[in-house]
Amino acid sequence: MKKQSTAFFPGITKVQYEGPCSTNPLAFKHYNADELIDGKSMKDHLRFSVTYWHTIRGQLADMFGVGTAVRPWEDGTNSMKMAETRARVAFEFLEKLGAPFYAFHDRDVAPEGKSLRETNRNLDAIAKVLKAEQERTGVQLLWGTACLFVHPRFTHGAATSCNADVFAYAAAQVKKAIEVTHTLKGAGYVFWGGREGYSTLLNTDLKREMDHLGKFLHMAADHKKAIGFKGQFYIEPKPKEPTKHQYDSDAAACLNFLREYDLLGDFKLNLETNHATLAGHTMQHEMEVAIAAQALGSIDANTGDMLLGWDTDQFPTSIYLTTEIMLSILNMGGFRTGGTNFDAKVRRESFEPVDLFYAHIGGMDAFARGLKIATAIRKDGRLANFVRQRYSSWDSGIGAKIEAGKANFKELETYMLQKGDAAPNTSGRQEFLENLINDFI
Ligand code: XUL
Ligand code: CO
């Protein structure tokens, strides 16, 4: 690795681990990249990733006001020169933070040109810069994706647009985005259905749109094979925003869609906390649904605000949340291609460059604590034992017979007529278990 650049974040040096007693806001108190937790480094357990769209491109605008972000390197244009500068900013940030991965949409990194051809040329040119920066710093691409929701051509959706030409444009764009991700050795590629849904059913042929989405994803999977891209494909569920209803509304809906269109072999899920809560679920629920189908691939780490109720994409700071997430991740055996991608933005009021560091450091420390706590809970074993014990009636006797598929309604009726009534239930002990978790937090 070459000399560390100091051009864009002067005064900020590489963030170090200083331990829980440190009062330095620009140091990690819990995330210690090389420290082994259960034989694996924290870096490899957590696989942190920074998002280009929020951290590098986010201007902190909202529906009521313009962007407030102070970014001294921005020149007010979206030129190719500016795109190259932003790539340098991104990698200086990644290097100083010590995050091993990043993620981007094609249009985050390079500007759209006057034609698709020119746009692709722009993307190729910036991909060269990104590749050189990856090689210089050792930072890797967690996943790439295509922005199919900002430009007005995607008003009615992309793969689910009523306009066949828009489907074709989206296919060409995704083809290119997969190729660039492949060139940059991305570990995965994400499909988030930004406007793949509807605002009103009065103008929508739902069945036809879903069929088109299925076709689109098959074409993507075929192209992946054709070019030899080995990264993992993910679908990212979200129920609404910007549309009123998005087809990939939650983990269960995505799994059903993938099964219905025979795509389950080619896709896993990328789950995001704030999308889970928008769908009326907890992140833990979404993760367990995906894990049950062996389809949890990666996570977008953030949190919402229950009082606002929209996709606020805040940095995760709740230790309870990160503990639950890490319990699920550890129980499934850890990430393979996926990671913990901070799809999160600083508040509009936190507009200085240093706030980007505070935000990520806080998120990384919160997850490091979640990892340590979840590891301790697993080592203690009482939680897992309780759950195992709760289902012990299935381990032998009638339960084992049912699970083995060796019982039918008639036999069960005979069994119960003989027995007279079911064995008494035991307590679910929710409060006991909540207290148990708190003992570790
Ligand atoms: C939007 C969202 C996206 C995806 C990538 O809510 O989460 O940024 O993660 O397109
Ligand atoms: Co996301």
Side-chain angles (χ1 to χ4, degrees):
M1 282 191 223
K2 289 192 199 142
K3 206 173 130 268
Q4 188 178 300
S5 140
T6 52
F8 303 106
F9 300 98
I12 298 178
T13 53
K14 186 155 177 14
V15 179
Q16 305 288 340
Y17 170 72
E18 292 184 5
C21 297
S22 168
T23 55
N24 176 2
L26 286 170
F28 294 118
K29 319 287 189 302
H30 303 276
Y31 178 64
N32 188 11
D34 296 325
E35 184 182 326
L36 298 184
I37 304 285
D38 230 3
K40 187 164 152 184
S41 72
M42 292 179 84
K43 184 178 170 192
D44 290 343
H45 268 295
L46 294 161
R47 293 170 62 85
F48 286 127
S49 163
V50 170
T51 56
Y52 217 98
W53 54 100
H54 285 311
T55 296
I56 305 304
R57 300 306 308 276
Q59 291 301 304
L60 309 185
D62 68 15
M63 280 99 79
F64 302 93
V66 296
T68 57
V70 175
R71 304 289 183 254
W73 52 83
E74 289 286 335
D75 67 5
T77 72
N78 195 15
S79 65
M80 282 295 284
K81 187 168 157 277
M82 193 59 243
E84 185 177 339
T85 302
R86 288 191 196 113
R88 311 278 179 218
V89 173
F91 279 83
E92 186 186 320
F93 182 79
L94 284 155
E95 231 186 332
K96 288 185 167 173
L97 182 66
F101 293 98
Y102 72 113
F104 66 75
H105 299 88
D106 47 4
R107 304 298 173 253
D108 302 333
V109 295
E112 190 146 344
K114 286 189 197 68
S115 65
L116 181 61
R117 200 177 297 280
E118 189 186 324
T119 304
N120 286 349
R121 259 204 311 269
N122 289 349
L123 188 53
D124 282 335
I126 296 297
K128 284 204 180 83
V129 180
L130 296 173
K131 191 159 189 281
E133 287 292 310
Q134 285 184 201
E135 279 159 13
R136 182 181 70 77
T137 58
V139 170
Q140 293 168 274
L141 179 60
L142 188 68
W143 47 261
T145 187
C147 176
L148 304 174
F149 44 91
V150 168
H151 194 282
R153 79 172 67 82
F154 299 118
T155 299
H156 300 301
T160 63
S161 174
C162 49
N163 179 346
D165 256 13
V166 173
F167 181 106
Y169 190 102
Q173 188 178 331
V174 167
K175 173 180 177 290
K176 182 70 184 173
I178 295 170
E179 288 163 6
V180 167
T181 300
H182 183 36
T183 306
L184 294 174
K185 300 192 172 71
Y189 183 91
V190 161
F191 293 80
W192 169 60
R195 294 182 193 274
E196 312 293 27
Y198 56 81
S199 287
T200 172
L201 283 169
L202 290 174
N203 65 14
T204 302
D205 186 336
L206 182 142
K207 166 82 174 122
R208 209 166 177 182
E209 293 200 358
M210 302 245 295
D211 285 351
H212 294 166
L213 183 57
K215 278 210 166 59
F216 190 93
L217 296 178
H218 269 291
M219 288 183 203
D222 289 346
H223 189 63
K224 175 184 176 210
K225 277 172 207 132
I227 63 171
F229 174 49
K230 297 278 185 289
Q232 177 65 51
F233 272 181
Y234 311 102
I235 303 264
E236 182 176 324
K238 183 175 181 181
K240 54 190 167 198
E241 239 184 85
T243 61
K244 165 201 176 107
H245 176 83
Q246 192 168 301
Y247 296 129
D248 301 327
S249 50
D250 64 5
C254 284
L255 290 170
N256 184 58
F257 179 88
L258 292 171
R259 220 172 262 124
E260 188 174 343
Y261 288 92
D262 195 21
L263 286 158
L264 209 44
D266 292 304
F267 290 82
K268 288 191 187 306
L269 301 185
N270 176 44
L271 298 175
E272 177 167 327
T273 315
N274 206 166
H275 295 181
T277 48
L278 276 180
H281 304 306
T282 60
M283 179 61 163
Q284 198 184 14
H285 165 90
E286 289 292 83
M287 292 179 78
E288 291 301 316
V289 168
I291 290 170
Q294 297 177 320
L296 176 58
S298 198
I299 60 166
D300 272 8
N302 64 16
T303 194
D305 184 318
M306 290 306 166
L307 296 184
L308 289 175
W310 67 75
D311 195 19
T312 56
D313 284 347
Q314 288 164 235
F315 275 83
T317 52
S318 159
I319 310 302
Y320 212 96
L321 171 70
T322 58
T323 298
E324 285 177 347
I325 291 175
M326 291 317 297
L327 260 178
S328 291
I329 295 289
L330 293 175
N331 287 344
M332 86 161 184
F335 288 121
R336 277 180 200 90
T337 52
T340 308
N341 178 49
F342 287 112
D343 194 351
K345 57 184 180 226
V346 289
R347 298 305 82 196
R348 190 167 181 267
E349 299 84 351
S350 308
F351 44 75
E352 292 178 10
V354 70
D355 292 308
L356 297 171
F357 279 92
Y358 293 144
H360 285 84
I361 290 169
M364 289 161 85
D365 265 348
F367 266 90
R369 286 179 75 182
L371 168 64
K372 287 183 204 167
I373 294 165
T375 304
I377 292 170
R378 277 162 52 84
K379 207 169 231 161
D380 170 80
R382 275 178 292 164
L383 181 65
N385 275 340
F386 180 87
V387 177
R388 211 173 300 120
Q389 188 55 35
R390 186 161 180 252
Y391 291 88
S392 58
S393 67
W394 294 89
D395 295 338
S396 60
I398 196 70
K401 217 169 157 193
I402 298 170
E403 279 197 349
K406 291 184 183 139
N408 58 31
F409 266 19
K410 196 162 176 306
E411 285 162 27
L412 294 178
E413 183 191 45
T414 309
Y415 167 78
M416 209 28 86
L417 285 173
Q418 257 169 22
K419 207 170 172 185
D421 200 354
N425 282 317
T426 52
S427 168
R429 302 241 189 277
Q430 180 170 334
E431 299 76 11
F432 165 87
L433 294 170
E434 285 165 350
N435 298 348
L436 179 74
I437 300 294
N438 275 356
D439 285 346
F440 289 88
I441 289 183

